[in-house]
Amino acid sequence: MGGRARTQVSTPAGTGRSADAGDGRARDERERLQLQRMERSLVRAWLAAPSVLAPADYECLRYAFGLARLHVFRPAGQPRDVRVNPEAVAPLRGWLLGHLHDSLRGGEAAEAKLAVCREAAAQVRARAIELRRRLLADHRDDFDAAALDREAGRRALVVVAGGGGGAGYVYAGAYARLMEAGLIPDYIVGNSIGAILGIFRAQRRHGDVNEYVEFARRVKNADIFSAVRRRSEFCMPGLLHLHLRALHQRMAIGDLRRPLRLDEMEIPLDLVVAGIRRRPYERLPSDIRSPETGMARWLPMWLQVAARFTRLLQFFNADMVEPIVLGRDSDTRQVHAVDAAGFSAAVPSILQYEPGPGAGVTREIFAELMARHELAAIVDGGVADNVPARTAWRGVAAGRAGTRNAYYLAFDCFFPRMDPKNLWLWPIMQTVQMQMRVNRVYADTMVRFQETLSPLNIVPGGDALDLSVGWGYQEMDRHLPEVREMLRPVSLDRAAPAARAS
């Protein structure tokens, strides 16, 4: 036969199945995220026009969204996860996506969205009851009705706290308002200032925010910063040494005052750092890699810092950095909490962090991380993922919050605003917001704090600190009705017609 011979392409055994499995996981993630956003739209519409949809129908719909997102969960007291048959869940999931997605996610008024939901309520109730019955029959040895209803009808509170330097002190006020309302996070993910305040909040479930504020009020520059005396083993060289000595003392536990580890937090805590890849790092200008060189070293420190800030844009590059989550796996949970937060706040080429005293295990873990990921340095997580909502979402999927049904409350203090004091930071803020195109999708509620201190005000005085905490409290208070409602448990029993009549 004429023409070219047909080329035989060999495929490793299992590659096709792996690709299919990957596509299936991506589709499942996408659908669960769509259902999550649909429930958020339903809640917002109902808060705006509650008279349009009967409470029983509203609860039925919310329960159905939780049931349709079900894929795997760990019943209370059980040693292992239970994986639910996706074929059982698919009919309800497909019906909700096919019949309600466009209405709930569209631009119609709240009344119009709820009118569509009202018409669909009977169908949704019947389908939810049938799926619940089937799951209880299929998994009679795995969980009971109470466990299933808890997973479908209750959402854990996940707080995602982004970076932003001194602007992030508003988070203390937000945490205070949540605590006052009796809302305790089940899982916290943060970086930079969000990581530092995160270890305070996660240390005890019922901690006192006023205690944290009083500690911050006593902190001086010398308690946090010092001159750089030598290069860091893991961090990028910087203009200042971020040592967090006062924080190490505050977070020490036991008679021997040993450092607190991430796995000893009462609230599960994951902190994001950024790893700078070796090859891109080697291409950086020499004065960035070695601050002791170059003409800028003769400038006053504040001018050197300002000059470095203007050059941070080169680090906001996926080819340059990759996010690394400390706390997600059992190994990195052994890292000292303050060290994890310190690396997460080490602004590239400006702040240099080195693990604190007695950090042998931490050093071993970071050395292994750098070797495994082929990294030149570990720096501020904000350059890779400033408000890591997607990281939190995947942490919940991995079981970090206990339940897989969570409500994501994200804090953002670093975004473009017409503030003359911070106009010079506008390019960096705009670049950070490009990350938000992804993360905004995963957050149920994004709290953007309009009033903040300057990002450079890392050690504010008492009056400025009080002002910042007050701003955070007020902003959180404005969002509290939505937060409360999203976290309110719903029940299919209360959604039944008989219950509605009573």
Side-chain angles (χ1 to χ4, degrees):
M1 295 178 62
R4 291 183 300 173
R6 182 176 298 171
T7 302
Q8 297 293 326
V9 179
S10 62
T11 303
T15 299
R17 289 193 298 273
S18 298
D20 291 343
D23 291 343
R25 285 192 297 270
R27 182 174 62 253
D28 176 67
E29 178 175 314
R30 183 172 60 252
E31 290 176 350
R32 286 189 286 116
L33 190 57
Q34 288 173 327
L35 291 164
Q36 174 187 321
R37 300 178 77 192
M38 289 166 67
E39 183 177 357
R40 179 189 64 189
S41 295
L42 170 64
V43 169
R44 288 178 175 174
W46 196 75
L47 286 172
S51 62
V52 177
L53 183 65
D57 291 341
Y58 166 73
E59 288 216 14
C60 168
L61 285 158
R62 288 200 59 191
Y63 182 95
F65 282 126
L67 202 60
R69 289 195 299 271
L70 201 62
H71 61 117
V72 60
F73 77 103
R74 179 169 297 185
Q78 296 297 316
R80 60 181 178 84
D81 287 337
V82 175
R83 188 165 296 278
V84 174
N85 181 3
E87 293 181 1
V89 178
L92 175 61
R93 179 181 290 190
W95 197 94
L96 291 170
L97 290 170
H99 289 77
L100 296 180
H101 179 272
D102 291 349
S103 298
L104 283 173
R105 296 293 299 147
E108 294 86 353
E111 291 81 0
K113 292 180 179 181
L114 295 176
V116 173
C117 291
R118 184 178 59 215
E119 295 301 316
Q123 275 263 37
V124 172
R125 179 178 292 110
R127 290 173 179 272
I129 290 172
E130 172 56 26
L131 175 56
R132 181 177 182 272
R133 183 201 61 76
R134 178 176 174 181
L135 291 175
L136 290 174
D138 291 349
H139 295 277
R140 63 175 62 88
D141 296 328
D142 297 319
F143 52 77
D144 58 14
L148 178 60
D149 291 341
R150 189 181 304 111
E151 183 68 15
R154 294 175 181 265
R155 296 181 74 170
L157 173 57
V158 176
V159 174
V160 184
Y169 283 108
V170 289
Y171 299 164
Y175 281 129
R177 185 65 187 97
L178 289 172
M179 291 178 69
E180 187 179 277
L183 302 175
I184 309 298
D186 297 285
Y187 174 40
I188 297 173
V189 179
N191 65 43
S192 198
I193 187 66
I196 291 174
L197 291 178
I199 62 175
F200 275 111
R201 183 62 195 91
Q203 184 180 9
R204 296 195 304 273
R205 283 187 61 83
H206 300 282
D208 183 357
V209 171
N210 290 327
E211 179 185 337
Y212 312 152
V213 173
E214 285 305 312
F215 169 79
R217 193 188 303 277
R218 295 191 300 270
V219 169
K220 308 299 181 187
N221 277 312
D223 297 323
I224 296 179
F225 303 115
S226 65
V228 173
R229 295 183 175 85
R230 62 185 178 88
R231 289 204 168 208
S232 170
E233 184 179 355
F234 305 107
C235 198
M236 188 172 177
L239 297 172
L240 292 169
H241 178 205
L242 176 69
H243 57 69
L244 299 180
R245 189 173 298 121
L247 199 53
H248 274 288
Q249 295 169 356
R250 168 65 176 74
M251 288 291 176
I253 61 172
D255 294 338
L256 299 178
R257 307 301 294 162
R258 67 170 179 80
L260 189 71
R261 301 189 308 264
L262 286 176
D263 65 352
E264 293 174 310
M265 297 288 170
E266 291 188 4
I267 297 174
L269 175 69
D270 287 351
L271 302 181
V272 179
V273 298
I276 302 180
R277 297 185 174 96
R278 285 177 188 165
R279 290 187 178 179
Y281 179 81
E282 292 167 356
R283 293 194 292 268
L284 288 171
S286 60
D287 64 322
I288 292 291
R289 290 182 283 113
S290 302
E292 68 275 9
T293 65
M295 296 299 295
R297 70 185 187 277
W298 304 110
L299 295 173
M301 181 57 71
W302 70 272
L303 274 178
Q304 292 187 55
V305 171
R308 290 300 174 96
F309 260 104
T310 63
R311 301 175 71 178
L312 281 179
L313 290 177
Q314 60 197 309
F315 294 100
F316 291 88
N317 183 335
D319 294 329
M320 169 77 71
V321 298
E322 63 174 292
I324 296 173
V325 185
L326 304 177
R328 179 64 52 82
D329 59 84
S330 58
D331 286 341
T332 58
R333 282 177 212 147
Q334 303 299 310
V335 170
H336 295 166
V338 175
D339 289 330
F343 279 112
S344 185
V347 182
S349 81
I350 297 174
L351 297 180
Q352 171 181 315
Y353 186 78
E354 188 71 11
V361 173
T362 293
R363 291 177 183 276
E364 291 176 10
I365 292 170
F366 275 99
E368 195 278 330
L369 277 174
M370 292 184 69
R372 187 197 323 159
H373 292 269
E374 298 184 349
L375 303 177
I378 294 174
V379 296
D380 190 319
V383 299
D385 197 10
N386 194 54
V387 184
R390 179 170 60 178
T391 294
W393 198 89
R394 290 178 173 170
V396 169
R400 290 291 280 146
T403 177
R404 265 60 172 207
N405 191 11
Y407 164 68
Y408 301 85
L409 175 63
F411 295 162
D412 184 11
C413 67
F414 195 75
F415 57 92
R417 283 160 288 179
M418 295 307 297
D419 182 351
K421 300 189 300 295
N422 295 319
L423 282 179
W424 65 284
L425 289 171
W426 188 280
I428 299 173
M429 290 179 170
Q430 288 279 41
T431 302
V432 168
Q433 289 307 300
M434 293 177 66
Q435 300 172 351
M436 297 301 294
R437 295 176 184 175
V438 172
N439 283 311
R440 192 178 292 113
V441 173
Y442 290 83
D444 288 302
T445 302
M446 181 72 69
V447 181
R448 309 189 86 188
F449 295 88
Q450 300 295 328
E451 297 284 349
T452 68
L453 301 179
S454 166
L456 297 185
N457 195 356
I458 304 296
V459 187
D463 291 344
L465 187 62
D466 290 342
L467 196 61
S468 184
V469 172
W471 287 332
Y473 183 99
Q474 293 167 10
E475 190 67 45
M476 190 70 257
D477 187 67
R478 283 191 280 272
H479 289 82
L480 205 59
E482 177 173 308
V483 177
R484 285 183 187 274
E485 184 57 29
M486 291 293 293
L487 293 171
R488 183 172 68 84
V490 295
S491 167
L492 192 59
D493 291 337
R494 287 199 297 270
R500 180 172 54 187
S502 63

